[in-house]
Amino acid sequence: NAMERREPGLPDKGIIARAYKYEYEDDKYVALNCGHSNTYELRIFKSTLRYETYIATLQFVSNLAHIVKELDYEKACKTTFDDVVTYKNYEELSRYIMTRGLYQGGE
């Protein structure tokens, strides 16, 4: 059983999902909107009119989506921001995080 192999200190993913859904299922203004039956809506970005920021945001979400598909629960819990932004190298995303001092480079 995968839940029995879970590392000590990591929360049960079923409990987290049920608690989140119970607390926020009627609220579309949360970071992860689960109110639709077949989709999840990620709402963590502020709006922008800058093309470069828009493209970097799409690239970040693309990296995040690929990581989520590949990792099991325990590895996902240990994934860092730097892991996401460096998953696949995108010029616009790299420039965006470097100019804003967001990349820690494993520090």
Side-chain angles (χ1 to χ4, degrees), residues 21-91:
K21 184 162 178 55
Y22 175 78
E23 181 70 24
Y24 299 108
E25 74 179 327
D26 294 329
D27 188 356
K28 69 178 187 175
Y29 299 106
V30 293
L32 183 61
N33 178 5
C34 304
H36 307 288
S37 61
N38 295 319
T39 61
Y40 294 102
E41 180 183 11
L42 190 59
R43 300 177 65 97
I44 60 173
F45 307 102
K46 61 183 192 173
S47 62
T48 185
L49 296 176
R50 294 192 55 193
Y51 174 80
E52 296 83 7
T53 303
Y54 177 71
I55 295 302
T57 301
L58 292 178
Q59 293 167 343
F60 178 83
V61 171
S62 175
N63 278 357
L64 183 61
H66 283 92
I67 285 176
V68 167
K69 287 180 182 180
E70 291 179 7
L71 298 181
D72 62 20
Y73 178 67
E74 287 81 13
K75 289 179 184 172
C77 288
K78 295 178 182 178
T79 300
T80 66
F81 177 79
D82 287 355
D83 293 334
V84 176
V85 298
T86 60
Y87 177 80
K88 180 177 180 186
N89 185 32
Y90 289 110
E91 182 180 334

